[in-house]
Amino acid sequence: MRHKLFRCLRPAGTLLVAIGLLVSLALPAAAAPDDNGWDPTLPKLLSAGAPGDPLAIANASLAATAQATQATVNLGRNFLSSLGIGGAPASVAAGRVRGPQAIEYVIRRGGSQMGVPYSWGGGTPTGPSAGVEQDAGKVGYDCSGFTRFAFAGVGVLIPKYSGDQYNTGRHIPPSQAKRGDLIFYGPGGSQHVTIYLGNGQMLEESSAKGQVAVSPVRTAGMSPYLARIIES
């Protein structure tokens, strides 16, 4: 069964995002996703930040404490200010983000990193960073580091590991996908995460492409649900 159509959320004036334009359409029709499946176009590996991996150990002291949350809120304020939006609107307060404008800020911040290299374990709420293991010393993002950076732009701190991001926010079936929802791949979202743009497109830090890029939504290996971090 084909999924329903969704209207694109259209910000006005300077808030118009340069990517993911036009009308948001549903994800392509596909067989029911299987939690045991993997995206065949990507390495069959866990995303960085899984419990016990080198990045998780290195970041153990950077758990989402009150200070880390406040620091991310400040990042959000600074990013909004860079867009010429004064102050910190109540709609983007930590833990209470609402509305289509906040979603557009997230996508715009992510889109500002187009072409930044893929680096396994790389990426912080403030920008690209050196990866670990095979990408040690290479500055960029991995998939979940990239989505974390994008959401930090509106003061929302999400976990580093994609499997933890899968359990953050509200689970949404693919038939109800909206612009700004997170799409996951692999068992429990453990392989990969992207940002849904609508119109069958997604924004991702792709190991296959080696950089941040817009890609057609892939349904093979997709986890059963998307995660909605920002309600609209």
Side-chain angles (χ1 to χ4, degrees):
M1 178 182 297
R2 295 189 63 83
H3 298 135
K4 298 187 295 182
L5 302 182
F6 294 93
R7 290 187 306 165
C8 179
L9 303 171
R10 300 190 60 186
T14 59
L15 301 181
L16 185 61
V17 180
I19 58 176
L21 302 174
L22 306 176
V23 179
S24 292
L25 301 180
L27 302 180
D34 183 353
D35 221 6
N36 294 319
W38 298 81
D39 180 347
T41 69
L42 298 174
K44 198 172 182 178
L45 298 171
L46 292 182
S47 168
D53 82 9
L55 187 67
I57 295 169
N59 286 344
S61 64
L62 300 178
T65 63
Q67 290 145 327
T69 301
Q70 185 58 51
T72 306
V73 170
N74 292 337
L75 282 171
R77 290 193 177 117
N78 292 338
F79 179 65
L80 295 180
S81 178
S82 76
L83 298 181
I85 302 165
S91 63
V92 295
R96 294 186 289 110
V97 177
R98 295 289 188 275
Q101 286 188 339
I103 293 167
E104 297 306 325
Y105 300 149
V106 167
I107 294 173
R108 180 166 179 170
R109 193 175 203 228
S112 73
Q113 304 299 292
M114 294 285 283
V116 173
Y118 180 89
S119 178
W120 194 82
T124 72
T126 60
S129 67
V132 297
E133 294 196 339
Q134 70 269 20
D135 285 334
K138 181 181 177 183
V139 175
Y141 299 97
D142 64 13
C143 62
S144 53
F146 170 69
T147 53
R148 196 177 200 220
F149 167 81
F151 278 89
V154 292
V156 176
L157 185 66
I158 60 176
K160 175 64 179 76
Y161 171 46
S162 66
D164 291 334
Q165 291 183 9
Y166 184 61
N167 292 311
T168 299
R170 184 162 65 92
H171 276 175
I172 302 295
S175 61
Q176 297 176 20
K178 287 186 178 180
R179 186 169 162 85
D181 291 344
L182 295 179
I183 303 174
F184 296 86
Y185 296 87
S190 61
Q191 182 187 20
H192 190 51
V193 58
T194 76
I195 302 173
Y196 182 52
L197 298 176
N199 197 32
Q201 301 290 302
M202 61 188 185
L203 179 63
E204 63 176 339
E205 176 61 275
S206 169
S207 60
K209 294 184 177 180
Q211 63 183 11
V212 176
V214 174
S215 306
V217 172
R218 301 181 297 274
T219 55
M222 185 187 292
S223 301
Y225 297 101
L226 289 76
R228 183 162 298 160
I229 308 297
I230 297 177
E231 300 288 346
S232 63

